Amino acid sequence: MIRKYNLVPLLIKKFVGVKLMMKKIGFIGLGIMGKPMSKNLIKAGYQLIVSDFNKDAVSELQQLGAEVETTPKAIAEKADIVITMLPNSPNVKAVALGENGLIEGAREGLIYVDMSSIAPAASQEVYRALIEKGVEMLDAPVSGGEPKAIDGTISVMVGGKKEVFEEVKDVLAAMAGSVVHVGEIGAGNVTKLANQVIVALNIAAVSEAFVLAQKAGVNPEAVYQAIRGGLAGSTVLDAKAPMMLDRNFNPGFRINLHIKDLTNAMETSHEFGSPAPLTAAVLEMMYTLKSDGHEFDDHSSLLKYYEKLANVEISR
């Protein structure tokens, strides 16, 4: 018996993929996360136009085949899709709406994907300004930190029109292990705030537990090995416990950036009347660490807050 296959869907999928890769993608923000993410787009075959204040990062991408521009306006004039990966809301507003910003070079049909972690209200504000120029926007913050940005397995949570999401889903998937549409514009950043609250509270709980173990005379590493396979086990525990035990606080995700996220979470919780007492407590812990000079340490350094209170230092 000879099987008959319908090749039309496969041919359509292949054609759409090739057509998408012919589009030019602008990428603004080549920091800890942005640089590896943009590299993954190049590996996937996309044409990139990049911009950043860090000339070394720009040069590195240029050597991999990326085109370089100096302003968001110039990138918007050339690109079909523009992605930004920036520190906070004011940076996004400046790049999108400021002098020589995307809005000055934008044309109808351009798609703007902001992958920064910012306040949901800021995403909505930028969207309202850009849509008047015929520019569609998605807010698509990510989770996973630098290691997952490097290996292309970050999680992306996307807010915006579903049809726009479908148009750029393959581009996002080239940088990610998970890409999920979560609602309208701003929903991506609400989801990211929820993520950051859970991560922060998890790290604080691990820190509190390890310091308790150390003070009680039980090896924190033994505690970690004993509990990681049970209900207390988590991705956060497996990612951060080894760093704490090694006293390796080199940043995958810095305290000052988590302060920014939790501040946005508190502002959003106040806006919608959603109490967040645990988030407020951990935010204050992080501000204490910042005052002690640890703002550029990894957020696993929340351990140091508890160690200082208990006058103890954990060890393997």
Side-chain angles (χ1 to χ4, degrees):
M1 178 179 177
I2 299 175
R3 293 183 179 180
K4 294 182 178 180
Y5 295 95
N6 183 0
L7 297 178
V8 173
L10 293 174
L11 291 171
I12 290 173
K13 186 175 180 180
K14 184 176 181 181
F15 173 76
V16 170
V18 171
K19 186 177 179 182
L20 193 57
M21 285 195 180
M22 290 173 63
K23 291 180 178 291
K24 281 198 171 184
I25 300 174
F27 202 110
I28 302 171
L30 304 176
I32 289 176
M33 298 292 287
K35 185 169 73 170
M37 288 164 62
S38 60
K39 284 182 176 180
N40 285 330
L41 287 174
I42 291 175
K43 287 178 187 175
Y46 291 102
Q47 303 175 63
L48 252 63
I49 314 168
V50 300
S51 178
D52 194 88
F53 291 122
N54 186 330
K55 302 305 178 187
D56 290 337
V58 170
S59 177
E60 191 174 340
L61 267 295
Q62 191 173 25
Q63 289 173 28
L64 293 174
E67 187 179 341
V68 176
E69 279 295 348
T70 56
T71 67
K73 175 184 176 182
I75 286 182
E77 289 170 345
K78 292 184 175 182
D80 302 291
I81 300 167
V82 176
I83 296 171
T84 51
M85 190 64 176
L86 302 166
N88 205 350
S89 304
N91 309 95
V92 172
K93 289 182 184 180
V95 164
L97 308 180
E99 184 179 356
N100 286 316
L102 297 175
I103 197 166
E104 293 186 4
R107 64 193 182 285
E108 189 169 351
L110 177 69
I111 297 176
Y112 172 43
V113 183
D114 178 38
M115 303 189 78
S116 319
S117 296
I118 66 173
S123 295
Q124 293 164 346
E125 179 184 341
V126 173
Y127 169 77
R128 287 192 295 270
L130 290 177
I131 198 66
E132 292 184 3
K133 298 272 288 187
V135 177
E136 292 289 353
M137 177 181 170
L138 301 172
D139 66 310
V142 310
S143 177
E146 185 182 14
K148 290 184 177 291
I150 291 170
D151 64 21
T153 59
I154 53 174
S155 296
V156 185
M157 45 220 85
V158 188
K161 295 177 183 173
K162 187 67 182 291
E163 60 270 25
V164 180
F165 166 74
E166 292 295 341
E167 191 170 344
V168 302
K169 185 178 179 180
D170 286 348
V171 174
L172 300 177
M175 300 177 280
S178 168
V179 181
V180 179
H181 182 257
V182 293
E184 296 302 314
I185 194 75
N189 274 303
V190 170
T191 305
K192 178 59 188 286
L193 294 182
N195 179 88
Q196 294 303 82
V197 166
I198 292 169
V199 170
L201 270 55
N202 246 294
I203 295 173
V206 173
S207 301
E208 190 168 309
F210 280 6
V211 168
L212 167 63
Q214 186 76 40
K215 289 287 282 190
V218 180
N219 188 332
E221 182 172 22
V223 172
Y224 167 54
Q225 295 299 338
I227 69 174
R228 62 183 300 216
L231 189 58
S234 68
T235 300
V236 171
L237 179 67
D238 282 337
K240 299 303 174 181
M243 295 180 69
M244 293 175 180
L245 293 168
D246 289 338
R247 307 205 64 77
N248 170 22
F249 302 112
N250 294 325
F253 192 77
R254 300 192 304 266
I255 282 286
N256 66 335
L257 292 177
H258 216 140
I259 285 174
K260 176 260 297 185
D261 288 340
L262 295 189
T263 299
N264 285 336
M266 291 304 301
E267 289 176 356
T268 304
S269 71
H270 292 160
E271 180 183 352
F272 291 100
S274 178
L278 294 179
T279 302
V282 177
L283 179 58
E284 289 304 313
M285 294 177 198
M286 289 185 173
Y287 268 116
T288 300
L289 288 168
K290 180 180 178 180
S291 296
D292 286 344
H294 300 302
E295 63 181 305
F296 299 112
D297 288 354
D298 186 77
H299 50 182
S300 60
S301 65
L302 269 171
L303 176 69
K304 295 179 182 178
Y305 174 86
Y306 284 94
E307 289 178 330
K308 186 176 181 179
L309 289 180
N311 192 30
V312 69
E313 186 174 290
I314 74 162
S315 59
R316 285 187 180 275

